[in-house]
C-alpha cells in the first residue's frame, strides 16, 4: 500500500499527460471562443492580453475551433503564437465537425471529405503546418467510427496532427473507436471533451468510466455553466451581461435557469464564503478535483477575469466542502452503485484492481 501523501498546491505550469499519451498539458486550458466574438467576446488587443496572461502564468494548452467567431478565433490564435514565437512551447488544439457553409452537407460532419477540408482551412488560418490536438467537435450521428478512426489516424501518420480527441460524443462511440485502435495497434483518441460542471454531471454515469478504461483524459468544457456558476445571475434577474442572456447554446431544454440549479448555486455561494474565494473559483476547483479530469477549459473576455479563474488553482477544498457540493449537485441515481455491488457479492465490498491503493 502506498504511503499517504500531503496534498500539494497545483500550479498552472505543472504538467500532466493527456490520457494514455505523451502529450503534456497544463491543468487549466485556455478556451478562445471569446476571441474575435463581437457579441460577448473581446476586441483583438484584449484577446492578445488574455493570451499573454495565460502564457505568463505558465500555461501551455490553447483550445480553439474552426467555427469560433467564423474562423476569426483561429486567425487570432495563430497570429498571437507567431508574434510571440511560442509555437514549439504551446499545445495547439482546434476542432472540426460543425457546418461552415449552410446548404452544403459536406461542409460539416465527420466524414473523410470534410475532415480533410476542415483541417486544411484551419492550418491556413492558424498559420502552421500541424496541430497538436485535433478534436472531433460533435457526433454527427451518421459517420462510422471506423471511418473517423482511419482518417484521423492517417493524419497522425502524415504529421498534420499529433494527437486527436473526441468532443460531445456518446460513450459507446468513443469506446468503440478506442477499442478498434487498441486492437489494430493504430493511433486512437487520447481525450474526451464534454460539458461538465456542478450543474451538468451527466458524464459521470458512462463517459467517465469509458474514458478511464480507454485511456482517455477528460477535458471539461463550460465548468462554469456558461457563467451561471459565477453568481452573476439571480432568480430575480437572469438578463445580466453574459452568454446566458444572449445568443448561446444553453437555451430551451439546455437552460441553466432551473430550480435545481438555483439551489446548487446557493450552496456554492455558501462554500465560497467559507473558503474566502469566489463562487467561480470554487466551481472550477471542484471540477478539477473530479476523477479522470486532466485539464479544465476556462475562457475569459478580459485579463482580469482570466487571472481570477487561474486563481482557482489556489483553492484547496476540504473533504467536507466537496461532500457538500457533491450532495447538492448529485445527478439522478445510477443503477450501478456500491449498494448493488454489495448485493451481488453477498454484502461484501469488493475493489476492482484499478481502484486498489
Amino acid at each position: 500500500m502506498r504511503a499517504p501523501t500531503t496534498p500539494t498546491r497545483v500550479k498552472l505550469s505543472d504538467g500532466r499527460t493527456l490520457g494514455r499519451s505523451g502529450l503534456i498539458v497544463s491543468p487549466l486550458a485556455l478556451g478562445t471562443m471569446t476571441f474575435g466574438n463581437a457579441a460577448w467576446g473581446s476586441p483583438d488587443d484584449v484577446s492578445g492580453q488574455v493570451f499573454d496572461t495565460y502564457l505568463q502564468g505558465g500555461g501551455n494548452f490553447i483550445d480553439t475551433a474552426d467555427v469560433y467567431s467564423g474562423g476569426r478565433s483561429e486567425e487570432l490564435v495563430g497570429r498571437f503564437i507567431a508574434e510571440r514565437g511560442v509555437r514549439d512551447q504551446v499545445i495547439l488544439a482546434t476542432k472540426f465537425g460543425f457546418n461552415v457553409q449552410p446548404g452544403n452537407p459536406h461542409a460539416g460532419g465527420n466524414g473523410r471529405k470534410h475532415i480533410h477540408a476542415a483541417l486544411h482551412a484551419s492550418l491556413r488560418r492558424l498559420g502552421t503546418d500541424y496541430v497538436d490536438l485535433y478534436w472531433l467537435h460533435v457526433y454527427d450521428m451518421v459517420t462510422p467510427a471506423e471511418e473517423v478512426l482511419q482518417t484521423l489516424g492517417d493524419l497522425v501518420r502524415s504529421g498534420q496532427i499529433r494527437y486527436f480527441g473526441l468532443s460531445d460524443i456518446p460513450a459507446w462511440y468513443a469506446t468503440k473507436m478506442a477499442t478498434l485502435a487498441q486492437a489494430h495497434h493504430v493511433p486512437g483518441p487520447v481525450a474526451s471533451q464534454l460539458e461538465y460542471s456542478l450543474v451538468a454531471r451527466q458524464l459521470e454515469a458512462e463517459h467517465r468510466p469509458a474514458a478511464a478504461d480507454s485511456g482517455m483524459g477528460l477535458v471539461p468544457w463550460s465548468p462554469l455553466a456558461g457563467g451561471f456558476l459565477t453568481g452573476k445571475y439571480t432568480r430575480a434577474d437572469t438578463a445580466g451581461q453574459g452568454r446566458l442572456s444572449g445568443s448561446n447554446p444553453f437555451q430551451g431544454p439546455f437552460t441553466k435557469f432551473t430550480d435545481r440549479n438555483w439551489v446548487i448555486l446557493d450552496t456554492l455561494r455558501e462554500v465560497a464564503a467559507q473558503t474566502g474565494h469566489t463562487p467561480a473559483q470554487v466551481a472550477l476547483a471542484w471540477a478539477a478535483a473530479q476523477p479522470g479530469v486532466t485539464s479544465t477549459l476556462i475562457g475569459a473576455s478580459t485579463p482580469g477575469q482570466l487571472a481570477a479563474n487561474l486563481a482557482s488553482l489556489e483553492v484547496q477544498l476540504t473533504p467536507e466542502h466537496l461532500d457538500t457540493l457533491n450532495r447538492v449537485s448529485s445527478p439522478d441515481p445510477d443503477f450501478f452503485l456500491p449498494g448493488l455491488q454489495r448485493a451481488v457479492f453477498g454484502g461484501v465490498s469488493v475493489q476492482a484492481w484499478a481502484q486498489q491503493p
Side-chain angles (χ1 to χ4, degrees):
M1 179 181 294
R2 291 190 293 267
T5 58
T6 302
T8 56
R9 196 178 300 277
V10 177
K11 298 181 293 184
L12 184 61
S13 57
D14 289 343
R16 61 268 306 270
T17 57
L18 186 58
R20 194 181 294 132
S21 79
L23 188 64
I24 301 172
V25 299
S26 300
L28 294 177
L30 179 62
T32 62
M33 186 183 285
T34 57
F35 288 16
N37 191 307
W40 38 261
S42 51
D44 293 3
D45 60 334
V46 177
S47 295
Q49 294 167 19
V50 169
F51 185 88
D52 290 337
T53 298
Y54 178 74
L55 290 188
Q56 291 164 7
N60 79 335
F61 194 4
I62 311 296
D63 185 273
T64 185
D66 57 357
V67 292
Y68 290 171
S69 305
R72 182 66 176 149
S73 175
E74 284 187 329
E75 292 174 351
L76 289 173
V77 167
R79 192 180 87 191
F80 297 154
I81 289 174
E83 291 176 347
R84 290 148 182 80
V86 293
R87 182 65 189 91
D88 293 335
Q89 301 171 34
V90 301
I91 302 303
L92 176 58
T94 191
K95 311 179 189 74
F96 70 90
F98 280 106
N99 195 278
V100 295
Q101 185 184 346
N104 178 6
H106 283 296
N110 305 325
R112 183 175 290 108
K113 179 178 176 66
H114 177 61
I115 291 177
H116 279 270
L119 179 60
H120 178 76
S122 287
L123 292 175
R124 183 180 68 252
R125 285 188 292 267
L126 289 164
T128 185
D129 56 2
Y130 74 97
V131 294
D132 298 290
L133 179 63
Y134 202 35
W135 292 105
L136 180 156
H137 204 163
V138 65
Y139 176 52
D140 69 6
M141 294 170 272
V142 294
T143 307
E146 293 86 345
E147 179 177 339
V148 178
L149 178 66
Q150 184 178 49
T151 304
L152 293 174
D154 287 345
L155 290 173
V156 170
R157 287 184 283 269
S158 73
Q160 295 178 77
I161 66 175
R162 300 298 191 248
Y163 300 88
F164 62 90
L166 307 173
S167 174
D168 298 330
I169 35 72
W172 70 264
Y173 192 86
T175 301
K176 180 177 183 179
M177 195 179 297
T179 301
L180 287 169
Q182 292 170 13
H184 295 285
H185 305 289
V186 298
V190 301
S192 181
Q193 185 179 139
L194 298 143
E195 181 182 9
Y196 192 36
S197 73
L198 279 165
V199 301
R201 295 177 57 182
Q202 297 89 336
L203 69 76
E204 293 177 10
E206 295 284 346
H207 288 85
R208 181 161 68 193
D213 190 65
S214 302
M216 291 185 282
L218 292 176
V219 181
W221 62 261
S222 199
L224 296 179
F228 178 81
L229 294 173
T230 66
K232 70 171 67 176
Y233 301 97
T234 67
R235 289 178 177 85
D237 181 14
T238 59
Q241 297 297 315
R243 291 182 62 189
L244 298 186
S245 58
S247 176
N248 70 87
F250 305 112
Q251 295 176 336
F254 305 107
T255 181
K256 301 307 180 188
F257 303 135
T258 67
D259 291 340
R260 170 184 177 273
N261 289 356
W262 289 121
V263 173
I264 294 172
L265 181 58
D266 288 341
T267 303
L268 175 62
R269 292 180 192 273
E270 294 172 4
V271 173
Q274 294 169 13
T275 63
H277 295 280
T278 67
Q281 290 166 343
V282 172
L284 289 171
W286 176 88
Q290 300 312 299
V293 172
T294 298
S295 185
T296 305
L297 274 167
I298 59 172
S301 56
T302 67
Q305 188 181 70
L306 177 62
N309 288 342
L310 294 179
S312 66
L313 293 173
E314 301 173 6
V315 179
Q316 292 186 304
L317 298 174
T318 66
E320 292 75 19
H321 290 144
L322 288 170
D323 182 61
T324 296
L325 293 170
N326 285 336
R327 279 189 287 107
V328 74
S329 64
S330 179
D332 292 335
D334 182 18
F335 180 76
F336 302 102
L337 293 171
L340 175 64
Q341 185 193 57
R342 285 192 293 271
V344 170
F345 291 108
V348 176
S349 177
V350 178
Q351 282 187 324
W353 73 267
Q355 300 169 329
Q356 297 168 16

